[in-house]
């Protein structure tokens, strides 16, 4: 009797659940490297360039067998469940990534996670989860929203469609009557079938929205609002292994921030796609600052200590948001995913999570942007390591720093001196110097078949 | 001749005169009066005790800083009989050249004025004033039609003037020599060579640590950076101008730079300064000046197109429009070889009593002028403080970059020094570039006129300006220009035209300033 139950437990435990111990650790030390990698790619931008130029990588056409697939989420939805993938095969999305990247699901997961943290670790710890603005999923939480809305009259709210990107369909409002029309059309019966997938539900009915408390005091640089785009690479959810890219950028709104004109979406939305159509957009100019520039600017204004604390708070957002979906995302060793996180700072230098993108734009707006994205993708491929050149113990690969490896990763190497020391610093360098070429030269063996330079 | 002792007392008298009636003076008096109530002030030793009190409460330090500032902008001392023009620029041919250049600029400005039918100055109607007040913080949002305005001059026009300087004492009668075909600057001034520079800039030597080199990611911060930052914090706490200046020679940490520069320049942000700025703002609201359009145009053409400075567009307008109206800037003409341009009330041309200085601050902006301000926006966001810092930097340093003078920090000396350094240390390169009609100065001039603003990446530029403040001289601008050529010498030897030489030197944004300077000055074999 006991043996059967014990075996049953093991089966349940093994499938997708987090073990208390440390058995399911990092990648095996010596993966079989491949000298020839067959790839598919559904994008026609920087990604394709990187893949074309990688030694030993060959593009395969339509139905050919592939070892690597940089696919879009549409392809994933249609094909993933029907594809058999050999052990070595890699694909650039997790099956149900939308748990993190769909606004309504992210909110649900974060709220649930916060409750868990509060229950298990107390209020002080739970406060660290308060990095997303008050959000309600519509239509299901409409009544909860109205309650809160009435409690803070005069404040501004932002309505966002759950599944669209690039700023489409977003609008701001202050009065309930502004959304009355919208409500008549959009609100449907509250007893929606939860077992159907999100996509199916959407297709059948009307799209879901989230309504979020609008951050009315964003940090401005000389009157302009901006948000941060940061890149996080996750190679595994169980255990959680996540890398943070040193480069990123601050995207500026082209016009000056003012609460007077909430109709002017050009002011409030900082997506480059929206800014590109704004009347004063100058395509040559670009309205982005590199993360390094922003970090230096903030340091000059506020001092090193304040800025270091800010970046620690930003690290906290990445880690907790990933932890909140850790048990929900279907872990699969074939999958990795490069996320684009959008972070907004307010005037008190508190960072807020706006959203997470599973397919951040990898199209370049100018030469510098191209080089940055090229390096980002190249380093992603280095970490995915089809060629088997890594040992699995690396804390840094090119511009990526290992931020979380089933536990926090520190810059200092573990030893007797560092044990229990409160002075360990996180192994993150967002906005720091990115001397990736030099680091890669020292780190990587040449490609199979290539002579060492 | 005056001996040192009496020269010193003249200087002291001058400084006392300047500080009399300032806000600091009235504050000191107030403090001195109020402290009389304190128990430690005894009647028998009142002078000593008051002094001790002022020292202990930091007021003596403030006075020291103010005196130190005055020393920076002291007009050169000269013979009591000599007129001011002769004292501020002893070389007659330079004075003449500057005067004729000024005439040309003013003529150009006046003809633009007549052509376009725009008055040099006009009072704004009330409605326009109200509008401007409401959009004071977003002047960049406008897109006025500036197509008919042209910049009054660009750096290359100014270079032509410098190339045509003639020293009448220079005898050309011995015909063409190898020397006379070297370089573009046809006059001789005393400029320092590398051995002399090594002595003048010991803090840049290989054996001395500094920011820009020893704070590199691979260097453990314990070796230099942490200690340097600790000292920097102390300097800021002590509020000592002179110490801050000395400290800045090894670079200012990013988190302390704004305070350190304000300290070096003695920007106190008194209520006096704030009121002055508000007055200037009111002046902008009330009157529209022709030069305002030149400023708009310059900002739109340069800063707004820069990948990093575009964010600062609005505040650049605020600073530069106020700057044009600031008559306090006229003070610097007591040591600037230039003379402020004059304009005459309509119909009264030539009659001195109807002459006004135009623009009110005496400075006509040229193409790229806004780049003097742009890097400072990185450090200061209160418009008043930003304004004060910029104005002080202008009257101490930037004015020398666009006026003709024999000063060692003046643009003429910098050009000459640049050419000499290349000729002596990279003669092959210089000769090659000359052969292909790509005179190095033609490329480097625009960098030097702007003190490299807009050409280097911001963090590197600020490291350079740290040293300009630290050594109170623009000389390093010329040295850096030579160092850049030295760095790219290999590529430059391969080019065969001016255009390709320009292309090799088009992008300086990846350069690291301090290693370049260090190598050029201390690692080269001479």
């Amino acid at each position: 009797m006991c043996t059967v139950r014990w075996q049953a437990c093991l089966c349940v435990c093994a499938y997708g659940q987090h073990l208390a111990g440390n058995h399911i650790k990092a990648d095996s030390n010596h993966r079989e490297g491949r000298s020839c990698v067959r790839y598919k790619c559904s994008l026609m931008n920087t990604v394709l360039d990187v893949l074309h130029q990688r030694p030993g990588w060959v593009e395969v056409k339509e139905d050919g067998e592939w070892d690597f697939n940089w696919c879009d989420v549409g392809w994933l939805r249609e094909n993933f469940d029907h594809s058999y993938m050999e052990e070595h095969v890699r694909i650039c999305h997790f099956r149900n990534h939308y748990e993190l990247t769909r606004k309504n699901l992210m909110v649900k997961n974060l709220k649930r996670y916060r409750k868990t943290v509060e229950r298990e670790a107390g209020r002080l710890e739970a406060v660290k989860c308060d990095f997303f603005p008050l959000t309600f999923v519509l239509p299901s939480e409409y009544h909860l929203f109205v309650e809160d809305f009435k409690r803070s009259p005069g404040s501004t709210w932002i309505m966002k469609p759950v599944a669209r990107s690039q700023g489409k369909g977003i609008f701001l409002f202050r009065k309930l009557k502004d959304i009355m029309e919208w409500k008549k059309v959009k609100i449907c019966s509250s007893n929606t079938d939860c077992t159907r997938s999100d996509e199916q539900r959407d297709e059948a009915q009307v799209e879901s929205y989230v309504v979020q408390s609008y951050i009315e005091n964003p940090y401005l640089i000389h009157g302009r609002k901006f948000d941060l785009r940061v890149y996080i690479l996750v190679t595994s959810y169980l255990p959680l292994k996540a890398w943070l890219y040193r480069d990123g950028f601050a995207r500026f709104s082209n016009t000056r921030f003012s609460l007077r004109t909430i109709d002017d979406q050009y002011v409030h939305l900082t997506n480059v796609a929206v800014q590109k159509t704004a009347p004063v957009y100058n395509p040559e100019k670009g309205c982005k600052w590199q993360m390094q520039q922003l970090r230096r600017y903030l340091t000059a204004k506020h001092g090193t200590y304040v800025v270091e604390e800010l970046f620690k708070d930003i690290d906290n957002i990445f880690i907790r948001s990933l932890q909140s979906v850790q048990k929900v995302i279907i872990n699969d060793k074939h999958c990795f995913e490069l996320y684009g996180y959008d972070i907004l700072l307010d005037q008190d230098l508190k960072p807020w999570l706006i959203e997470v993108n599973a397919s951040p734009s990898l199209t370049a707006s100018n030469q510098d942007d191209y080089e940055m994205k090229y390096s980002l993708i190249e380093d992603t491929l280095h970490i995915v390591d089809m060629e088997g050149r890594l040992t699995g113990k690396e804390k840094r690969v090119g511009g990526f720093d290992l931020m979380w490896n089933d536990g926090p990763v520190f810059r200092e190497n573990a030893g007797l001196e560092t044990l229990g020391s409160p002075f360990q610093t996180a192994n993150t360098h967002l906005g720091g110097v990115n001397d990736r070429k030099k680091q890669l030269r020292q780190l990587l063996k040449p490609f199979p078949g290539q002579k060492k330079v | 001749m005056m001996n040192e002792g009496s020269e010193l007392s003249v200087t002291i008298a001058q400084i006392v005169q300047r500080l009399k009636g300032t806000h600091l003076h009235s504050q000191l008096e107030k403090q001195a009066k109020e402290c009389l109530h304190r128990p430690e002030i005894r009647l028998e030793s009142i002078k000593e005790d008051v002094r001790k009190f002022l020292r202990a409460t930091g007021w003596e330090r403030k006075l020291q800083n103010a005196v130190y500032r005055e020393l920076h902008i002291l007009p050169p001392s000269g013979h009591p009989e000599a007129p001011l023009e002769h004292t501020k620029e002893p070389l007659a041919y330079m004075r003449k050249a500057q005067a004729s250049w000024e005439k040309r600029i003013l003529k150009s400005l006046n003809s633009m004025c007549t052509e376009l039918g725009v008055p040099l100055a006009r009072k704004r109607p009330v409605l326009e004033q109200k509008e401007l007040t409401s959009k004071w913080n977003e002047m960049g949002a406008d897109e006025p039609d500036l197509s008919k305005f042209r910049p009054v001059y660009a750096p290359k026009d100014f270079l032509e003037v410098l190339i045509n300087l003639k020293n009448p004492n220079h005898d050309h009668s011995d015909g063409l020599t190898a020397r006379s075909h070297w370089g573009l600057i046809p006059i001789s001034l005393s400029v320092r060579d590398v051995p002399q520079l090594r002595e003048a800039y010991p803090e840049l030597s290989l054996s001395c640590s500094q920011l820009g080199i020893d704070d590199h990611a691979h260097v453990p911060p314990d070796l230099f950076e942490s200690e340097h930052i600790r000292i920097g914090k102390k300097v800021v706490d002590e509020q000592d101008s002179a110490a801050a200046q000395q400290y800045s020679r090894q670079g200012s940490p990013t988190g302390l730079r704004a305070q350190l520069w304000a300290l070096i320049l003695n920007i106190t942000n008194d209520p006096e300064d704030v009121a002055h700025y508000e007055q200037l703002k009111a002046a902008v609201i009330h009157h529209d000046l022709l030069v305002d359009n030149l400023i708009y145009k310059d900002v739109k053409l340069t800063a707004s197109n820069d990948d990093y400075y575009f964010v600062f567009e609005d505040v650049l307008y605020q600073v530069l429009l106020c700057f044009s109206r600031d008559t306090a800037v006229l003070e610097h003409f007591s040591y600037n070889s230039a003379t402020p341009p004059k304009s005459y009330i309509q119909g009264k041309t030539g009659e001195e009593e109807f002459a006004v200085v135009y623009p009110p601050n005496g400075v006509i902006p040229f193409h790229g002028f806004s780049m003097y301000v742009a890097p400072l926006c990185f450090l200061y966001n209160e418009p008043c403080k930003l304004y004060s810092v910029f104005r002080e930097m202008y009257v101490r340093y930037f004015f020398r970059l666009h006026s003709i003078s024999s000063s060692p920090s003046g643009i003429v000396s910098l050009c000459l020094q640049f050419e000499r350094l290349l000729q002596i240390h990279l003669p092959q390169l210089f000769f090659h570039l000359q052969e292909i009609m790509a005179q190095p100065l033609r490329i480097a001039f625009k960098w030097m006129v702007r003190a490299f603003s807009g050409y280097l990446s911001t963090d590197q530029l600020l490291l350079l300006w740290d040293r300009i403040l630290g050594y109170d001289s623009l000389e390093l601008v010329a040295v850096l220009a030579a160092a850049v050529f030295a760095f790219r010498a290999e590529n430059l030897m391969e080019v065969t035209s001016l255009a390709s030489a320009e292309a090799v030197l088009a992008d300086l944004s990846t350069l690291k300033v301090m290693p370049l300077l260090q190598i050029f000055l201390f690692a080269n074999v001479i």
Side-chain angles (χ1 to χ4, degrees), chain A residues 222 224 256 285 289 293 435, chain B residues 218 304 308 312 314 458:
Chain A
H222 286 292
R224 287 190 214 233
R256 288 86 186 138
K285 185 162 65 179
W289 270 10
Q293 187 79 345
D435 53 346
Chain B
H218 295 300
S304 298
Y308 288 113
F312 306 133
D314 296 325
T458 320

Side-chain angles (χ1 to χ4, degrees), chain A residues 219 221-222 224 252 254 256-258 260 280 282 284-290 293 296-297 299-301 303-304 366 368 396 433 435 438, chain B residues 134 137-141 143 216-218 254-255 258 304-315 377-381 386 458-459:
Chain A
Y219 189 91
I221 293 183
H222 286 292
R224 287 190 214 233
F252 284 89
N254 227 340
R256 288 86 186 138
F257 180 80
S258 153
R260 282 181 283 143
V280 285
N282 178 347
E284 297 302 310
K285 185 162 65 179
C287 33
K288 300 197 250 191
W289 270 10
Q290 280 177 9
Q293 187 79 345
R296 267 183 241 125
Y297 176 90
T299 307
K301 285 275 148 68
T304 322
N366 61 35
D368 282 338
R396 178 186 173 188
V433 171
D435 53 346
K438 185 168 169 195
Chain B
S134 71
N137 289 319
E138 25 182 271
M139 284 188 268
E143 294 281 323
H216 192 265
H218 295 300
T254 311
S304 298
N305 274 328
D306 187 287
D307 281 337
Y308 288 113
Y309 297 136
F310 72 90
V311 176
F312 306 133
E313 194 183 340
D314 296 325
V315 80
C377 298
F378 219 69
L379 300 173
Y380 305 99
N381 53 4
L386 171 62
T458 320
D459 61 316

Side-chain angles (χ1 to χ4, degrees), chain A residues 162-412:
Chain A
V162 142
R164 285 196 266 172
S165 63
Q166 304 197 322
K168 301 188 200 106
I170 296 184
F171 63 94
L172 302 172
F173 65 95
R174 279 207 196 103
K175 305 194 198 60
L176 272 182
K177 73 170 167 67
D178 292 335
I179 57 166
M180 278 313 167
E181 269 309 308
W182 174 95
K183 176 188 161 200
K184 276 190 222 136
V185 175
K186 305 289 184 186
I187 301 274
C188 41
S189 93
S190 45
N191 292 330
T192 40
D193 187 351
C194 298
T195 57
R196 285 158 91 192
S197 72
D198 273 73
E199 295 88 348
Q200 289 171 315
R201 217 186 303 156
D202 283 352
E203 276 152 29
Q205 298 156 224
V206 103
E207 77 190 308
S208 304
Y209 275 71
V210 292
V211 64
Q212 195 175 63
S213 175
Y214 184 67
I215 295 168
E216 298 189 27
N217 62 337
Y219 189 91
L220 302 176
I221 293 183
H222 286 292
R224 287 190 214 233
K225 180 175 168 177
F226 64 95
D227 74 354
L228 305 180
R229 163 52 62 90
V230 186
Y231 297 99
I232 304 274
L233 172 64
V234 175
T235 49
S236 158
Y237 273 95
L238 288 170
L240 181 59
K241 191 165 186 184
W243 303 75
L244 171 62
Y245 203 68
R246 297 186 177 199
D247 292 341
F249 37 87
R251 297 177 299 199
F252 284 89
S253 147
N254 227 340
T255 47
R256 288 86 186 138
F257 180 80
S258 153
L259 286 173
R260 282 181 283 143
T261 51
I262 59 177
D263 277 335
D264 186 356
Q265 65 159 199
Y266 299 118
V267 174
H268 298 281
L269 302 175
T270 52
N271 300 70
V272 177
V274 171
Q275 293 302 319
K276 277 191 167 146
T277 59
V280 285
Y281 180 75
N282 178 347
E284 297 302 310
K285 185 162 65 179
C287 33
K288 300 197 250 191
W289 270 10
Q290 280 177 9
M291 191 62 75
Q292 285 78 7
Q293 187 79 345
L294 178 77
R295 188 161 186 160
R296 267 183 241 125
Y297 176 90
L298 291 174
T299 307
K301 285 275 148 68
H302 302 282
T304 322
Y305 177 74
V306 168
V307 174
E308 277 175 3
E309 290 299 301
L310 165 64
F311 278 78
K312 275 194 207 150
D313 290 342
I314 295 177
D315 285 349
N316 174 63
I317 291 182
F318 303 140
I319 293 166
R320 288 186 187 271
S321 58
L322 292 172
Q323 285 175 329
S324 74
V325 295
Q326 207 180 358
K327 296 180 187 164
V328 172
I329 298 248
I330 301 164
N331 198 40
D332 186 333
K333 64 167 183 279
H334 300 108
C335 303
F336 67 92
E337 204 152 22
L338 180 64
Y339 297 109
Y341 269 71
D342 291 344
I343 307 277
L344 183 69
L345 305 180
D346 71 16
Q347 264 165 28
D348 303 317
L349 280 184
K350 179 185 157 73
W352 296 87
L353 176 60
I354 299 300
E355 72 170 343
V356 185
N357 291 283
S359 312
S361 165
L362 294 168
T363 314
S365 51
N366 61 35
Q367 186 58 29
D368 282 338
D369 198 38
Y370 180 83
E371 278 163 23
M372 183 259 184
K373 286 176 175 160
Y374 192 101
S375 306
L376 173 69
I377 298 163
E378 208 177 36
D379 288 342
T380 304
L381 297 182
H382 289 325
I383 289 180
V384 170
D385 198 26
M386 303 293 293
E387 300 93 350
R389 298 186 289 167
L390 299 181
T391 62
K393 298 209 169 67
E394 292 83 4
K395 288 202 319 196
R396 178 186 173 188
V397 176
F400 275 111
D401 293 296
L402 184 59
M403 173 175 69
W404 191 271
N405 188 11
D406 199 23
V409 179
F410 299 110
R411 287 187 202 175
E412 302 79 6

Side-chain angles (χ1 to χ4, degrees), chain B residues 426-438:
Chain B
L426 295 148
Q428 244 191 327
L429 175 64
F430 200 101
F431 190 73
H432 170 71
L433 291 173
Q434 202 189 29
E435 288 271 280
I436 63 169
M437 315 289 264

Side-chain angles (χ1 to χ4, degrees), chain B residues 476-491:
Chain B
L476 286 177
V477 168
V479 180
L480 180 61
V484 171
F485 271 74
F487 185 61
R488 300 224 171 133
E490 228 175 277
N491 292 7

Side-chain angles (χ1 to χ4, degrees), chain B residues 323-324 326 329-330 332-333 338-341 357-364 394:
Chain B
F323 182 66
S324 305
D326 194 348
V329 175
L330 295 174
H332 91 288
F333 286 106
T339 317
V357 170
Y358 186 86
N361 71 342
V363 180
I364 296 180
Y394 183 82

